[in-house]
Amino acid sequence: MSALDDLPPLRDVIRRHELSARKSLGQNFLLDLNLTARIARASGPLEGVDVVEVGPGPGGLTRALLALGARRVIAVEKDDRAIAALGEVSQHYPGRLAVIAGDALDIDLGSYRTDAPLRVVANLPYNVATALLVGWLTTEAWPPWWQSLTLMFQREVAERIVAKPGDDAYGRLGVLTGWRAQARIMFDVPPSAFVPPPKVTSSIVHLVPRENPEPCTVAALEAVTQAAFGQRRKMLRQSLKSVFRDPAAALESVDIEPTRRAEEIDVAGFAALARALSAERAAKN
Ligand code: SAM
């Protein structure tokens, strides 16, 4: 019995379905239903909301999302053993859980949006967590299909996601995130909360899309930040040589001193550089 529902304890589910955790699938399960409820609540009230969950595993977070009122949960899972384990949860919440077998990296999750807001809530497999986040932040259509993202990352990755100019963790991921979303760390989760425990602390990050991101293309923004942070200790007039014909002139054209370093430049500055790069490339063709 659990506090949230009268489904069997997750340890029983794991034993019956022989769901021993596999490192190759980034499997670190959460068995404490108070904690999974806290994560589900971190995404905001769930009534009338559809949720995409990546990697439901034995279903602890899935159960919390459903018990707390999500209209529908679309759970994408790569491990067939976990898919079998989720059958009981589906039966308990008829018509509200759709389990999709497959790799979340290959699935257009936006295609599950119907007439209700769609959020992503997930204890992500760490090996694909950053790739999934970058994919969700760089969708061509904006505002995106997701209303918010509430995601577990390793603490070190969470710090890079929310980092601002001047922070040690500020880099390409912080610029990309800050460009398109407002992100904050909601709370930390210690290794002891997982089975098996990972080596490091984790954090729940909540992201909401910005309505009007600075205008620029993903490709130009990534080209500029890659060059700038690839040599983060160098002055920009030097580090941007690989992308601009005349980096000092490009920097001056957007009112950035050529002697500045990448870690000092905010999102608006990088977006201005991205626009200058697009203009230079367009003029060349
Ligand atoms: N949500 C469960 C929990 O909190 O206990 C499990 C989280 S575990 C960190 C990550 C889950 O993602 C595992 O169930 C794993 O099988 C699944 N997974 C790993 N790679 C995946 C992928 N590329 N697409 C979908 N699911 C994946």
Side-chain angles (χ1 to χ4, degrees):
M1 278 280 288
S2 74
L4 277 177
D5 53 43
D6 53 6
L7 282 160
L10 287 162
R11 280 188 196 281
D12 279 11
V13 174
I14 289 173
R15 190 175 29 77
R16 277 189 286 116
H17 292 275
E18 298 181 358
L19 245 174
S20 54
R22 289 187 183 153
K23 209 175 170 182
S24 59
L25 285 168
Q27 291 182 335
N28 298 95
F29 301 133
L30 295 172
L31 306 190
D32 175 350
L33 294 174
N34 290 318
L35 176 58
T36 56
R38 190 173 174 210
I39 297 169
R41 274 193 215 101
S43 76
L46 286 160
E47 286 78 15
V49 169
D50 290 349
V51 176
V52 166
E53 185 192 0
V54 172
L61 182 55
T62 321
R63 284 161 59 166
L65 292 162
L66 289 162
L68 290 170
R71 187 183 81 152
R72 216 161 57 104
V73 175
I74 300 105
V76 180
E77 176 57 65
K78 207 173 163 183
D79 186 341
D80 290 340
R81 299 170 308 160
I83 290 168
L86 292 162
E88 278 170 308
V89 186
S90 294
Q91 279 173 16
H92 192 81
Y93 295 99
R96 291 175 57 202
L97 174 61
V99 181
I100 314 293
D103 186 328
L105 286 169
D106 301 335
I107 296 175
D108 173 13
L109 299 176
S111 66
Y112 294 103
R113 188 164 74 172
T114 57
D115 54 337
L118 185 58
R119 296 184 192 157
V120 183
V121 183
N123 172 15
L124 292 175
Y126 288 142
N127 42 356
V128 292
T130 309
L132 286 167
L133 174 65
V134 168
W136 297 330
L137 287 170
T138 54
T139 57
E140 210 168 300
W142 204 265
W145 52 266
W146 46 272
Q147 185 193 47
S148 63
L149 309 172
T150 306
L151 307 170
M152 181 92 78
F153 292 96
Q154 291 168 298
R155 171 87 203 178
E156 171 269 328
V157 178
E159 281 170 0
R160 288 199 279 126
I161 292 168
V162 303
K164 298 280 177 288
D167 294 346
D168 286 346
Y170 187 53
R172 292 171 65 190
L173 192 55
V175 174
L176 188 64
T177 304
W179 172 47
R180 281 207 148 164
Q182 284 174 299
R184 65 189 172 115
I185 294 179
M186 303 293 281
F187 54 88
D188 287 343
V189 182
S192 58
F194 298 85
V195 175
K199 289 203 172 68
V200 294
T201 296
S202 302
S203 304
I204 291 291
V205 181
H206 183 69
L207 301 100
V208 290
R210 284 190 193 282
E211 266 176 43
N212 296 305
E214 296 276 340
C216 67
T217 66
V218 173
L221 186 65
E222 291 199 325
V224 167
T225 55
Q226 189 178 3
F229 286 104
Q231 298 181 293
R232 61 185 296 143
R233 300 280 165 233
K234 294 221 165 110
M235 293 177 192
L236 289 168
R237 67 178 177 208
Q238 177 65 29
S239 59
L240 293 182
K241 271 188 179 158
S242 56
V243 282
F244 285 105
R245 207 171 3 93
D246 182 347
L251 286 155
E252 272 157 19
S253 76
V254 297
D255 289 332
I256 296 176
E257 286 167 39
T259 52
R260 296 243 170 217
R261 292 176 170 77
E263 61 211 17
E264 301 171 305
I265 306 302
D266 63 10
V267 170
F270 279 114
L273 283 167
R275 290 193 293 276
L277 181 62
S278 295
E280 181 172 308
R281 286 180 175 172
K284 226 191 275 173
N285 294 328

